[in-house]
Amino acid sequence: MVCKQSVGTGSWIRLALGAVGFALASSVIAADAFPHKPITLVVPFSAGGPTDVVSRALGQAMSKNLGQSVVVENRLGAGGTVAAAYVARAQPDGYTILIHHNGMATAPALYKKLSYNPLNDFEYIGQVADVPMTMLGRKDLPPTTTADLVKYVKQNKDKVSLANAGLGAVSQLCGLLFEEAVGVKMTSIPYQGTGPAMTALLGGQVDLLCDQTTSTLQQINANRVKLYGVTTLNRIKALPNTPTMDEGGVKGFSMKVWHGVYAPKGTPPAVTARLTKALQEALKDPVVAKRLDELGAEIVPVDKQTPAGLQTWLKSESDKWQPLLKTMKVEATN
């Protein structure tokens, strides 16, 4: 009996080791074979929008390294949650991946019936670029500096209107952060996207808009809006003479748009690693660097262009935004 038990145990161990070896070999084969067809990069927002522009530049450069086309697919709806849910349910083979911004951190607080968990239902590939934001006013708004703007907002309170691109948009988040920082609740006016919100500001229908440089630089350079400050703690290369909101007296004010790339949960580690390598090589591409520079975007350091870098950042952003949104009782109606 002892002898039989020993043999049985030994056989079990050999089978287990064999299975592990087979799995490792399969992973290596998968990595060597990947990719053998085009990859779909799902973008949660409309074509021509800020995230889409970043995505197309990135996708073109990644395709060079991967040897396969990276096709951008725009899946709109519900502040980016439609696209994220689609990728979360996709086959975990590396051929359907997601690029998303701050909305990955805020969605759980905004949507009660979210069908996925941003922290747990994806494999992380890496961060891409940070985009500063700018606080803008209509051309004829009386304040001339950030300090003047704060005084004006406090004196006029709910008479001041603040546009945004819809629920969960980074422009809405920036507005909420500004309201909290100055201790004043303004009249928030949502629009169906950044374009309509900017049009309203240019037409004088609203007073303020806080949005990313990818959307605002053209209007700023054309002197069609009043610029009060940038939302990063340090001045930015695209607007070197523009003070930060922090310098203007809104101490500690910090807001930027960040982008990360994700794959469905269960994507093989070797495939994820291959995608991370392609991402890192793409961010070294001079064409990508030039395009992002033109948009005022800044490529993140190499240590953030990794699964660990993105995972750590998403957790910290979730911890920052979700309590704030719940406190301010901001959520979707559906």
Side-chain angles (χ1 to χ4, degrees):
M1 293 293 292
V2 174
C3 181
K4 288 182 179 180
Q5 184 177 3
S6 175
V7 171
T9 302
S11 298
W12 181 87
I13 292 173
R14 284 193 296 274
L15 286 170
L17 290 174
V20 171
F22 178 77
L24 290 174
S26 299
S27 179
V28 171
I29 292 171
D32 289 341
F34 180 85
H36 63 266
K37 62 181 181 179
I39 294 168
T40 299
L41 177 60
V42 179
V43 179
F45 308 106
S46 60
T51 300
D52 179 76
V53 173
V54 171
S55 303
R56 291 181 188 276
L58 181 68
Q60 288 178 3
M62 287 181 69
S63 67
K64 297 177 186 177
N65 183 268
L66 292 167
Q68 291 286 345
S69 298
V70 176
V71 181
V72 171
E73 179 180 321
N74 302 90
R75 283 187 171 262
L76 318 182
T81 61
V82 169
Y86 173 77
V87 175
R89 295 191 300 267
Q91 186 73 21
D93 55 12
Y95 289 101
T96 304
I97 58 178
L98 172 73
I99 184 169
H100 206 339
H101 63 21
N102 311 47
M104 283 292 274
T106 59
L110 295 172
Y111 297 89
K112 289 182 178 179
K113 297 181 180 180
L114 201 63
S115 64
Y116 61 92
N117 184 314
L119 289 169
N120 299 329
D121 291 347
F122 297 90
E123 302 294 347
Y124 301 88
I125 295 172
Q127 284 184 253
V128 180
D130 293 334
V131 184
M133 303 189 74
T134 49
M135 180 63 73
L136 307 178
R138 54 181 167 82
K139 184 66 177 174
D140 58 350
L141 197 66
T144 56
T145 66
T146 301
D148 291 338
L149 176 63
V150 172
K151 292 178 183 177
Y152 180 83
V153 166
K154 288 183 175 181
Q155 290 170 355
N156 292 276
K157 296 186 177 180
D158 58 355
K159 294 179 182 178
V160 179
S161 56
L162 179 63
N164 66 62
L167 181 72
V170 289
S171 52
Q172 186 203 30
L173 301 179
C174 186
L176 291 171
L177 202 62
F178 182 65
E179 287 180 328
E180 184 193 43
V182 300
V184 173
K185 182 68 176 176
M186 292 173 274
T187 300
S188 179
I189 303 180
Y191 289 87
Q192 295 297 316
T194 298
M198 178 60 78
T199 298
L201 184 70
L202 295 173
Q205 283 86 48
V206 293
D207 298 315
L208 297 171
L209 171 66
C210 181
D211 214 332
Q212 52 193 307
T213 54
T214 45
S215 303
T216 63
L217 277 180
Q218 183 179 357
Q219 306 302 338
I220 292 170
N221 292 332
N223 198 32
R224 296 192 184 106
V225 293
K226 190 167 285 188
L227 174 61
Y228 290 107
V230 296
T231 64
T232 48
L233 293 176
N234 298 310
R235 295 194 183 196
I236 63 174
K237 184 166 59 174
L239 297 166
N241 298 320
T242 301
T244 67
M245 297 292 286
D246 179 80
E247 289 177 304
V250 189
K251 294 301 180 183
F253 192 90
S254 178
M255 172 77 190
K256 62 184 178 183
V257 184
W258 53 271
H259 299 84
V261 181
Y262 308 80
K265 190 73 173 180
T267 300
V271 172
T272 302
R274 181 72 185 89
L275 290 167
T276 296
K277 179 182 177 182
L279 170 66
Q280 293 172 340
E281 290 301 316
L283 294 177
K284 295 177 185 176
D285 190 317
V287 175
V288 174
K290 183 176 183 296
R291 182 62 177 132
L292 294 180
D293 189 57
E294 291 171 348
L295 297 170
E298 300 173 350
I299 294 173
V300 299
V302 176
D303 64 325
K304 290 189 174 184
Q305 301 169 16
T306 62
L310 176 56
Q311 184 175 25
T312 299
W313 182 251
L314 177 59
K315 179 64 168 60
S316 67
E317 283 288 280
S318 299
D319 291 343
K320 170 185 175 180
W321 282 104
Q322 290 183 32
L324 173 62
L325 292 170
K326 289 177 180 177
T327 298
M328 300 186 79
K329 297 180 179 180
V330 180
E331 62 182 36
T333 55
N334 53 358

